[in-house]
Coordinates of all heavy atoms in Angstrom, one line a residue:
M1 N -37.2 8.5 12.4 CA -36.5 9.1 13.4 C -36.1 10.5 13.0 O -35.5 10.7 11.9 CB -35.2 8.3 13.7 CG -34.2 9.0 14.6 SD -32.6 8.2 14.8 CE -33.0 6.6 15.2
V2 N -36.4 11.5 13.7 CA -36.1 12.9 13.4 C -34.9 13.3 14.2 O -34.8 13.1 15.4 CB -37.3 13.8 13.7 CG1 -36.9 15.3 13.5 CG2 -38.5 13.4 12.9
Q3 N -33.9 13.9 13.5 CA -32.8 14.5 14.2 C -32.6 15.9 13.8 O -32.9 16.3 12.7 CB -31.5 13.7 13.8 CG -31.4 12.3 14.3 CD -31.2 12.2 15.8 OE1 -30.5 13.1 16.4 NE2 -31.8 11.2 16.4
I4 N -32.1 16.7 14.8 CA -31.9 18.2 14.5 C -30.5 18.4 13.9 O -29.6 17.8 14.4 CB -32.1 19.0 15.8 CG1 -33.4 18.7 16.5 CG2 -31.8 20.4 15.6 CD1 -34.6 19.1 15.6
I5 N -30.4 19.2 12.9 CA -29.1 19.6 12.3 C -28.5 20.6 13.3 O -29.1 21.6 13.6 CB -29.3 20.1 10.9 CG1 -29.9 19.1 10.0 CG2 -27.9 20.6 10.4 CD1 -30.2 19.5 8.6
R6 N -27.3 20.3 13.7 CA -26.6 21.1 14.7 C -25.3 21.7 14.1 O -24.7 21.2 13.2 CB -26.1 20.3 15.9 CG -27.2 19.5 16.5 CD -26.7 18.5 17.5 NE -27.7 17.7 18.1 CZ -27.9 17.4 19.4 NH1 -26.9 17.8 20.2 NH2 -28.8 16.7 19.8
K7 N -25.0 22.9 14.6 CA -23.7 23.5 14.2 C -22.6 22.8 14.9 O -22.6 22.5 16.1 CB -23.7 25.0 14.7 CG -22.5 25.7 14.2 CD -22.7 27.2 14.4 CE -21.4 28.0 14.1 NZ -21.0 27.9 12.7
I8 N -21.6 22.3 14.1 CA -20.4 21.6 14.6 C -19.2 22.4 14.0 O -18.9 22.1 12.9 CB -20.4 20.1 14.2 CG1 -21.7 19.4 14.8 CG2 -19.1 19.5 14.7 CD1 -21.8 18.0 14.3
G9 N -18.6 23.3 14.8 CA -17.5 24.1 14.3 C -18.0 25.0 13.2 O -19.1 25.7 13.4
N10 N -17.4 25.0 12.0 CA -17.9 25.7 10.9 C -18.8 24.9 10.0 O -19.2 25.4 8.9 CB -16.7 26.2 10.0 CG -15.9 27.3 10.7 OD1 -16.4 28.0 11.6 ND2 -14.6 27.4 10.5
S11 N -19.1 23.7 10.4 CA -20.0 22.9 9.6 C -21.3 22.6 10.3 O -21.6 23.2 11.4 CB -19.3 21.5 9.4 OG -18.1 21.7 8.6
Q12 N -22.1 21.7 9.8 CA -23.3 21.3 10.4 C -23.3 19.7 10.4 O -22.7 19.1 9.5 CB -24.5 21.8 9.7 CG -24.6 23.3 9.7 CD -25.8 23.8 9.0 OE1 -26.6 23.1 8.4 NE2 -26.1 25.1 9.1
G13 N -24.1 19.2 11.3 CA -24.1 17.7 11.3 C -25.3 17.2 12.2 O -26.0 18.0 12.8
I14 N -25.4 15.9 12.3 CA -26.4 15.3 13.1 C -25.7 14.3 14.0 O -24.6 13.7 13.6 CB -27.6 14.7 12.3 CG1 -27.0 13.6 11.4 CG2 -28.3 15.7 11.6 CD1 -28.1 12.7 10.8
L15 N -26.3 14.0 15.1 CA -25.8 12.9 16.0 C -26.6 11.7 15.8 O -27.8 11.7 15.8 CB -25.8 13.3 17.5 CG -25.0 14.6 17.9 CD1 -25.2 14.9 19.3 CD2 -23.5 14.3 17.6
L16 N -25.9 10.6 15.5 CA -26.6 9.3 15.3 C -26.5 8.4 16.5 O -25.3 8.2 17.0 CB -26.0 8.6 14.1 CG -26.1 9.4 12.7 CD1 -25.4 8.6 11.6 CD2 -27.6 9.6 12.3
P17 N -27.5 7.9 17.0 CA -27.5 7.0 18.2 C -26.6 5.8 17.9 O -26.5 5.3 16.8 CB -28.9 6.6 18.4 CG -29.7 7.6 17.7 CD -28.9 8.1 16.5
R18 N -25.9 5.3 18.9 CA -24.9 4.2 18.8 C -25.7 3.0 18.2 O -25.2 2.2 17.4 CB -24.3 3.9 20.1 CG -23.3 2.7 20.0 CD -22.8 2.3 21.4 NE -22.4 3.4 22.1 CZ -21.9 3.4 23.3 NH1 -21.7 2.2 23.9 NH2 -21.5 4.5 24.0
T19 N -26.9 2.7 18.7 CA -27.6 1.6 18.3 C -27.9 1.6 16.8 O -27.9 0.6 16.1 CB -29.0 1.4 19.0 OG1 -29.7 2.6 18.9 CG2 -28.7 1.1 20.5
V20 N -28.2 2.8 16.2 CA -28.4 2.9 14.8 C -27.1 2.6 14.0 O -27.2 1.8 13.0 CB -28.9 4.4 14.4 CG1 -28.9 4.6 12.9 CG2 -30.2 4.6 15.0
L21 N -26.0 3.1 14.5 CA -24.7 2.8 13.8 C -24.4 1.3 13.9 O -23.9 0.7 12.9 CB -23.6 3.6 14.4 CG -23.7 5.1 14.2 CD1 -22.6 5.8 15.0 CD2 -23.6 5.5 12.8
Q22 N -24.7 0.7 15.0 CA -24.4 -0.7 15.2 C -25.3 -1.6 14.3 O -24.8 -2.5 13.6 CB -24.6 -1.2 16.6 CG -23.5 -0.6 17.6 CD -23.8 -0.9 19.0 OE1 -25.0 -1.1 19.4 NE2 -22.8 -0.9 19.9
Q23 N -26.6 -1.2 14.2 CA -27.5 -1.9 13.3 C -27.1 -1.9 11.8 O -27.3 -2.8 11.1 CB -28.9 -1.4 13.5 CG -29.5 -1.8 14.8 CD -30.9 -1.2 15.0 OE1 -31.4 -0.5 14.1 NE2 -31.5 -1.4 16.2
A24 N -26.5 -0.7 11.5 CA -26.0 -0.5 10.1 C -24.6 -1.1 9.8 O -24.1 -1.1 8.7 CB -26.1 0.9 9.7
G25 N -24.0 -1.5 10.9 CA -22.6 -2.1 10.7 C -21.6 -1.0 10.5 O -20.6 -1.2 9.8
I26 N -21.8 0.2 10.9 CA -21.0 1.4 10.7 C -20.0 1.6 11.8 O -20.4 1.7 13.0 CB -21.8 2.6 10.4 CG1 -22.6 2.5 9.1 CG2 -20.9 3.9 10.4 CD1 -23.5 3.6 8.8
E27 N -18.7 1.6 11.5 CA -17.7 1.8 12.5 C -16.7 2.8 11.9 O -16.1 2.6 10.8 CB -16.9 0.6 12.8 CG -17.8 -0.5 13.5 CD -17.0 -1.8 13.7 OE1 -15.8 -1.8 13.5 OE2 -17.6 -2.8 14.1
G28 N -16.4 3.9 12.6 CA -15.3 4.8 12.2 C -15.5 5.7 11.0 O -15.4 6.9 11.2
A29 N -15.8 5.2 9.9 CA -16.0 6.0 8.7 C -17.1 5.4 7.8 O -17.5 4.3 8.0 CB -14.7 6.0 7.9
V30 N -17.7 6.3 7.0 CA -18.8 5.9 6.1 C -18.5 6.4 4.7 O -17.8 7.3 4.5 CB -20.1 6.5 6.6 CG1 -20.6 5.9 7.9 CG2 -20.1 8.0 6.6
D31 N -19.2 5.7 3.8 CA -19.2 6.1 2.4 C -20.5 6.9 2.2 O -21.6 6.4 2.6 CB -19.2 4.9 1.5 CG -19.2 5.3 0.0 OD1 -18.7 6.3 -0.4 OD2 -19.9 4.6 -0.8
I32 N -20.5 8.2 1.7 CA -21.6 9.0 1.6 C -22.0 9.1 0.1 O -21.1 9.4 -0.7 CB -21.4 10.4 2.2 CG1 -21.1 10.3 3.7 CG2 -22.6 11.3 2.0 CD1 -20.7 11.6 4.3
E33 N -23.3 8.9 -0.2 CA -23.8 9.1 -1.5 C -25.0 10.0 -1.5 O -25.8 9.9 -0.5 CB -24.1 7.7 -2.1 CG -24.7 7.8 -3.5 CD -25.0 6.4 -4.0 OE1 -24.5 5.4 -3.5 OE2 -25.9 6.3 -4.9
I34 N -25.2 10.8 -2.5 CA -26.4 11.6 -2.6 C -27.1 11.1 -3.8 O -26.6 11.0 -4.9 CB -26.0 13.1 -2.8 CG1 -25.2 13.6 -1.6 CG2 -27.3 13.9 -3.0 CD1 -24.6 15.0 -1.8
A35 N -28.4 10.7 -3.6 CA -29.2 10.1 -4.7 C -30.6 10.6 -4.5 O -31.2 10.4 -3.4 CB -29.1 8.6 -4.7
E36 N -31.2 11.2 -5.5 CA -32.6 11.6 -5.5 C -33.0 12.4 -4.3 O -34.0 12.1 -3.6 CB -33.5 10.4 -5.7 CG -33.3 9.7 -7.0 CD -34.1 8.5 -7.2 OE1 -35.1 8.3 -6.5 OE2 -33.8 7.6 -8.0
G37 N -32.1 13.4 -3.9 CA -32.4 14.2 -2.8 C -32.2 13.6 -1.4 O -32.7 14.1 -0.4
A38 N -31.6 12.4 -1.4 CA -31.3 11.7 -0.1 C -29.9 11.5 0.1 O -29.1 11.3 -0.8 CB -32.1 10.4 -0.1
L39 N -29.4 11.6 1.4 CA -28.1 11.2 1.8 C -28.1 9.7 2.1 O -28.9 9.3 2.9 CB -27.6 12.0 3.0 CG -27.3 13.5 2.8 CD1 -27.0 14.1 4.1 CD2 -26.2 13.7 1.8
I40 N -27.2 9.0 1.6 CA -27.1 7.5 1.9 C -25.8 7.3 2.5 O -24.7 7.6 2.0 CB -27.2 6.7 0.6 CG1 -28.6 7.0 -0.1 CG2 -27.1 5.2 0.9 CD1 -28.7 6.4 -1.5
L41 N -25.8 6.8 3.7 CA -24.6 6.4 4.5 C -24.4 4.9 4.4 O -25.3 4.2 4.7 CB -24.7 6.9 5.9 CG -24.9 8.3 6.2 CD1 -25.0 8.6 7.7 CD2 -23.9 9.2 5.6
R42 N -23.2 4.5 4.0 CA -22.9 3.0 3.9 C -21.7 2.7 4.7 O -20.7 3.5 4.7 CB -22.7 2.6 2.5 CG -24.0 2.5 1.7 CD -23.7 1.8 0.3 NE -24.9 1.8 -0.5 CZ -25.3 2.7 -1.3 NH1 -24.5 3.8 -1.5 NH2 -26.4 2.6 -2.0
A43 N -21.7 1.6 5.4 CA -20.5 1.1 6.0 C -19.4 0.9 5.0 O -19.7 0.4 3.9 CB -20.8 -0.2 6.8
I44 N -18.2 1.2 5.3 CA -17.1 1.0 4.4 C -16.7 -0.5 4.5 O -16.6 -1.1 5.6 CB -15.9 1.9 4.7 CG1 -16.3 3.3 4.5 CG2 -14.6 1.5 3.9 CD1 -15.2 4.3 4.8
K45 N -16.6 -1.1 3.3 CA -16.2 -2.6 3.3 C -14.8 -2.8 3.9 O -13.9 -2.0 3.5 CB -16.3 -3.1 1.9 CG -17.7 -3.1 1.3 CD -17.7 -3.6 -0.1 CE -19.1 -3.6 -0.7 NZ -19.2 -4.0 -2.0
K46 N -14.7 -3.8 4.7 CA -13.4 -4.1 5.2 C -12.4 -4.6 4.2 O -11.2 -4.5 4.3 CB -13.5 -5.0 6.4 CG -14.3 -4.3 7.6 CD -14.4 -5.2 8.8 CE -15.3 -4.8 9.8 NZ -15.1 -3.7 10.6
H47 N -13.0 -5.3 3.2 CA -12.2 -5.9 2.1 C -12.7 -5.4 0.8 O -13.9 -5.5 0.6 CB -12.3 -7.4 2.2 CG -11.8 -8.0 3.5 ND1 -10.5 -8.0 3.8 CD2 -12.5 -8.5 4.6 CE1 -10.4 -8.6 5.0 NE2 -11.6 -8.8 5.5
P48 N -11.9 -4.9 -0.1 CA -12.4 -4.3 -1.3 C -13.2 -5.2 -2.2 O -14.0 -4.8 -2.9 CB -11.1 -3.9 -2.0 CG -10.0 -3.8 -1.0 CD -10.5 -4.8 0.1
R49 N -13.0 -6.5 -2.1 CA -13.7 -7.5 -3.0 C -14.8 -8.2 -2.3 O -15.4 -9.1 -2.8 CB -12.7 -8.5 -3.5 CG -11.7 -7.9 -4.4 CD -10.7 -8.9 -5.0 NE -9.7 -8.2 -5.8 CZ -8.5 -7.8 -5.3 NH1 -8.2 -8.0 -4.0 NH2 -7.6 -7.3 -6.1
D50 N -15.3 -7.6 -1.1 CA -16.4 -8.2 -0.5 C -17.6 -8.1 -1.4 O -17.9 -7.1 -2.0 CB -16.8 -7.4 0.8 CG -16.0 -7.8 2.0 OD1 -15.2 -8.8 1.9 OD2 -16.0 -7.1 3.0
G51 N -18.3 -9.2 -1.5 CA -19.5 -9.3 -2.3 C -19.3 -9.7 -3.8 O -20.3 -9.9 -4.5
W52 N -18.0 -9.8 -4.2 CA -17.8 -10.1 -5.6 C -18.3 -11.5 -6.0 O -18.8 -11.7 -7.0 CB -16.3 -10.0 -5.9 CG -15.8 -8.6 -6.1 CD1 -16.3 -7.5 -5.7 CD2 -14.6 -8.3 -6.8 NE1 -15.6 -6.4 -6.1 CE2 -14.5 -6.9 -6.8 CE3 -13.6 -9.0 -7.5 CZ2 -13.5 -6.1 -7.4 CZ3 -12.6 -8.3 -8.1 CH2 -12.5 -6.9 -8.0
E53 N -18.0 -12.5 -5.1 CA -18.4 -13.8 -5.4 C -19.9 -13.9 -5.6 O -20.4 -14.6 -6.6 CB -18.0 -14.8 -4.2 CG -18.2 -16.2 -4.6 CD -17.2 -16.7 -5.7 OE1 -16.1 -16.2 -5.7 OE2 -17.6 -17.6 -6.4
A54 N -20.7 -13.3 -4.7 CA -22.2 -13.3 -4.9 C -22.6 -12.6 -6.2 O -23.5 -13.0 -6.9 CB -22.8 -12.6 -3.7
A55 N -21.9 -11.5 -6.5 CA -22.2 -10.8 -7.8 C -21.9 -11.6 -9.0 O -22.7 -11.6 -9.9 CB -21.5 -9.4 -7.8
F56 N -20.8 -12.4 -9.0 CA -20.5 -13.2 -10.1 C -21.5 -14.4 -10.2 O -22.0 -14.7 -11.3 CB -19.1 -13.9 -9.9 CG -18.0 -12.9 -10.1 CD1 -16.9 -12.9 -9.3 CD2 -18.0 -11.9 -11.1 CE1 -15.8 -12.0 -9.4 CE2 -17.0 -11.0 -11.3 CZ -15.9 -11.0 -10.4
D57 N -21.9 -15.0 -9.1 CA -22.9 -16.0 -9.1 C -24.2 -15.5 -9.6 O -24.9 -16.2 -10.4 CB -23.1 -16.6 -7.7 CG -21.9 -17.4 -7.2 OD1 -21.1 -17.8 -8.0 OD2 -21.8 -17.6 -6.0
E58 N -24.6 -14.3 -9.2 CA -25.9 -13.7 -9.7 C -25.8 -13.5 -11.2 O -26.8 -13.7 -11.9 CB -26.1 -12.4 -9.0 CG -27.4 -11.8 -9.3 CD -27.6 -10.5 -8.4 OE1 -27.4 -10.5 -7.2 OE2 -28.1 -9.5 -9.0
A59 N -24.6 -13.0 -11.7 CA -24.5 -12.7 -13.1 C -24.6 -14.0 -13.9 O -25.2 -14.1 -15.0 CB -23.2 -12.0 -13.4
V60 N -24.0 -15.1 -13.4 CA -24.0 -16.4 -14.1 C -25.4 -16.9 -14.2 O -25.9 -17.4 -15.2 CB -23.0 -17.4 -13.5 CG1 -23.2 -18.8 -14.0 CG2 -21.6 -17.0 -13.8
Q61 N -26.1 -16.8 -13.0 CA -27.5 -17.3 -13.0 C -28.4 -16.5 -13.9 O -29.4 -17.0 -14.4 CB -28.0 -17.2 -11.6 CG -27.4 -18.2 -10.6 CD -27.9 -18.1 -9.2 OE1 -28.7 -17.2 -8.9 NE2 -27.4 -18.9 -8.3
A62 N -28.0 -15.2 -14.2 CA -28.8 -14.4 -15.1 C -28.4 -14.6 -16.6 O -29.0 -14.0 -17.5 CB -28.5 -12.9 -14.8
G63 N -27.5 -15.6 -16.8 CA -27.1 -15.9 -18.2 C -25.8 -15.4 -18.7 O -25.4 -15.7 -19.8
D64 N -25.1 -14.6 -17.9 CA -23.8 -14.1 -18.4 C -22.8 -15.2 -18.2 O -22.9 -16.0 -17.3 CB -23.4 -12.9 -17.5 CG -24.2 -11.6 -17.7 OD1 -24.8 -11.5 -18.9 OD2 -24.3 -10.8 -16.8
Q65 N -21.9 -15.2 -19.2 CA -20.8 -16.2 -19.1 C -19.5 -15.5 -19.0 O -19.2 -14.5 -19.7 CB -20.8 -17.1 -20.4 CG -22.0 -17.9 -20.5 CD -22.1 -19.0 -19.4 OE1 -21.1 -19.6 -19.0 NE2 -23.3 -19.1 -18.8
P66 N -18.6 -15.9 -18.1 CA -17.3 -15.3 -17.9 C -16.4 -15.5 -19.2 O -16.5 -16.5 -19.8 CB -16.7 -15.9 -16.7 CG -17.4 -17.2 -16.5 CD -18.8 -17.0 -17.1
D67 N -15.6 -14.5 -19.5 CA -14.6 -14.6 -20.6 C -13.6 -15.7 -20.2 O -13.3 -15.9 -19.1 CB -13.9 -13.3 -20.8 CG -14.9 -12.2 -21.3 OD1 -15.9 -12.6 -21.9 OD2 -14.6 -11.0 -21.1
D68 N -13.0 -16.3 -21.2 CA -11.9 -17.2 -21.0 C -10.7 -16.4 -20.6 O -10.7 -15.1 -20.7 CB -11.6 -18.0 -22.3 CG -12.6 -19.0 -22.7 OD1 -13.3 -19.4 -21.8 OD2 -12.8 -19.2 -23.9
D69 N -9.7 -17.0 -20.1 CA -8.5 -16.3 -19.6 C -7.9 -15.6 -20.8 O -7.5 -16.2 -21.8 CB -7.5 -17.2 -19.0 CG -6.3 -16.5 -18.4 OD1 -6.2 -15.3 -18.6 OD2 -5.5 -17.2 -17.7
L70 N -7.9 -14.2 -20.8 CA -7.5 -13.4 -21.9 C -6.0 -13.6 -22.2 O -5.5 -13.2 -23.3 CB -7.8 -12.0 -21.7 CG -9.3 -11.7 -21.6 CD1 -9.6 -10.2 -21.3 CD2 -10.1 -12.1 -22.9
F71 N -5.2 -14.0 -21.2 CA -3.8 -14.0 -21.4 C -3.2 -15.5 -21.6 O -2.1 -15.6 -22.0 CB -3.1 -13.4 -20.1 CG -3.4 -12.0 -19.9 CD1 -4.3 -11.6 -18.9 CD2 -3.0 -11.0 -20.8 CE1 -4.6 -10.3 -18.7 CE2 -3.3 -9.7 -20.6 CZ -4.1 -9.3 -19.6
E72 N -4.0 -16.4 -21.4 CA -3.6 -17.8 -21.5 C -3.3 -18.1 -23.0 O -4.1 -17.9 -23.9 CB -4.7 -18.8 -21.0 CG -4.3 -20.2 -21.0 CD -3.2 -20.6 -20.0 OE1 -3.1 -19.9 -19.0 OE2 -2.4 -21.5 -20.3
G73 N -2.1 -18.6 -23.3 CA -1.8 -19.1 -24.6 C -1.4 -18.0 -25.6 O -1.2 -18.2 -26.7
T74 N -1.4 -16.7 -25.2 CA -1.0 -15.7 -26.1 C 0.4 -15.3 -25.9 O 1.0 -15.4 -24.9 CB -1.9 -14.4 -25.8 OG1 -1.6 -14.0 -24.5 CG2 -3.4 -14.6 -25.9
S75 N 1.0 -15.0 -27.0 CA 2.4 -14.5 -27.0 C 2.6 -13.6 -28.2 O 1.8 -13.6 -29.1 CB 3.4 -15.7 -27.1 OG 3.3 -16.4 -28.3
N76 N 3.7 -12.9 -28.2 CA 4.1 -12.0 -29.3 C 5.5 -12.2 -29.6 O 6.2 -13.0 -29.0 CB 3.7 -10.5 -29.0 CG 4.4 -10.1 -27.7 OD1 5.5 -10.5 -27.4 ND2 3.8 -9.2 -27.0
Q77 N 6.0 -11.4 -30.6 CA 7.4 -11.5 -31.0 C 8.4 -11.2 -29.9 O 9.4 -11.9 -29.8 CB 7.7 -10.6 -32.2 CG 9.0 -10.8 -32.9 CD 9.0 -12.3 -33.5 OE1 8.0 -12.8 -33.9 NE2 10.2 -12.8 -33.5
F78 N 8.1 -10.3 -29.0 CA 9.0 -10.0 -27.9 C 9.1 -11.2 -27.0 O 10.2 -11.6 -26.6 CB 8.4 -8.8 -27.1 CG 9.2 -8.5 -25.8 CD1 10.3 -7.8 -25.9 CD2 8.8 -9.0 -24.6 CE1 11.1 -7.5 -24.7 CE2 9.5 -8.8 -23.5 CZ 10.6 -8.0 -23.5
D79 N 7.9 -11.9 -26.7 CA 8.0 -13.1 -25.9 C 8.9 -14.1 -26.5 O 9.6 -14.9 -25.8 CB 6.6 -13.6 -25.7 CG 5.7 -12.7 -24.9 OD1 6.2 -11.9 -24.1 OD2 4.4 -12.8 -25.0
K80 N 8.8 -14.3 -27.8 CA 9.6 -15.4 -28.5 C 11.0 -15.1 -28.6 O 11.8 -16.0 -28.6 CB 9.0 -15.6 -29.9 CG 7.5 -16.1 -29.8 CD 6.9 -16.2 -31.2 CE 5.5 -16.7 -31.0 NZ 4.8 -16.7 -32.3
T81 N 11.4 -13.8 -28.8 CA 12.9 -13.5 -29.0 C 13.6 -12.8 -27.9 O 14.8 -13.0 -27.8 CB 13.0 -12.7 -30.4 OG1 12.2 -11.5 -30.2 CG2 12.4 -13.5 -31.5
E82 N 12.9 -11.9 -27.2 CA 13.6 -11.0 -26.3 C 13.5 -11.4 -24.9 O 14.4 -11.1 -24.1 CB 13.0 -9.6 -26.4 CG 13.2 -9.0 -27.8 CD 14.6 -8.7 -28.2 OE1 15.4 -8.3 -27.3 OE2 14.9 -8.8 -29.4
W83 N 12.4 -12.1 -24.5 CA 12.2 -12.4 -23.1 C 13.1 -13.6 -22.7 O 13.1 -14.6 -23.3 CB 10.7 -12.7 -22.9 CG 10.4 -12.8 -21.5 CD1 10.1 -13.9 -20.7 CD2 10.2 -11.7 -20.5 NE1 9.8 -13.6 -19.4 CE2 9.8 -12.3 -19.3 CE3 10.3 -10.3 -20.7 CZ2 9.6 -11.5 -18.2 CZ3 10.0 -9.6 -19.6 CH2 9.7 -10.1 -18.3
T84 N 13.7 -13.4 -21.5 CA 14.6 -14.5 -21.0 C 14.1 -14.9 -19.7 O 13.9 -14.1 -18.8 CB 16.0 -14.0 -20.9 OG1 16.5 -13.6 -22.1 CG2 16.9 -15.2 -20.4
W85 N 13.8 -16.2 -19.5 CA 13.4 -16.7 -18.3 C 14.5 -17.2 -17.4 O 15.4 -17.8 -17.7 CB 12.4 -17.9 -18.5 CG 11.1 -17.5 -19.1 CD1 10.8 -17.5 -20.4 CD2 10.0 -16.9 -18.5 NE1 9.6 -17.0 -20.6 CE2 9.0 -16.7 -19.4 CE3 9.7 -16.6 -17.1 CZ2 7.8 -16.1 -19.2 CZ3 8.4 -16.1 -16.9 CH2 7.5 -15.9 -17.9

């Protein structure tokens, strides 16, 4: 699809057809990245942790093992003498 770059105020831009935006799941705002001479527009995730579960599963299948809970069972002198519950 070829689009003409147009003057928009003091800037330039292109108009994207509604069907293209709908197919990409883009609403309202986009994340823009420049990579290897290309502009990449991505829909902004509605939830910051979208996709984390799949990424963790993929990492485990690739052989990575999650760390144990780094805070479980640890204490220091402050915890033993100064902290009041």
Side-chain angles (χ1 to χ4, degrees):
M1 170 188 309
V2 175
Q3 292 289 327
I4 304 298
I5 297 175
R6 304 171 185 222
K7 184 170 175 62
I8 302 174
N10 289 332
S11 299
Q12 296 180 355
I14 60 171
L15 296 177
L16 300 173
R18 181 185 314 179
T19 56
V20 170
L21 295 173
Q22 288 173 339
Q23 288 175 3
I26 294 174
E27 298 176 5
V30 295
D31 180 36
I32 300 173
E33 180 182 337
I34 301 170
E36 298 178 19
L39 290 175
I40 301 170
L41 304 178
R42 287 193 181 88
I44 294 178
K45 294 179 181 179
K46 296 183 191 282
H47 301 286
R49 294 181 184 93
D50 278 351
W52 280 23
E53 190 67 33
F56 290 140
D57 290 343
E58 186 177 315
V60 169
Q61 289 176 3
D64 292 333
Q65 293 297 316
D67 294 334
D68 291 333
D69 187 350
L70 298 176
F71 299 109
E72 185 67 32
T74 61
S75 65
N76 57 31
Q77 193 60 32
F78 175 83
D79 291 336
K80 295 175 185 174
T81 60
E82 301 291 327
W83 192 255
T84 303
W85 292 95

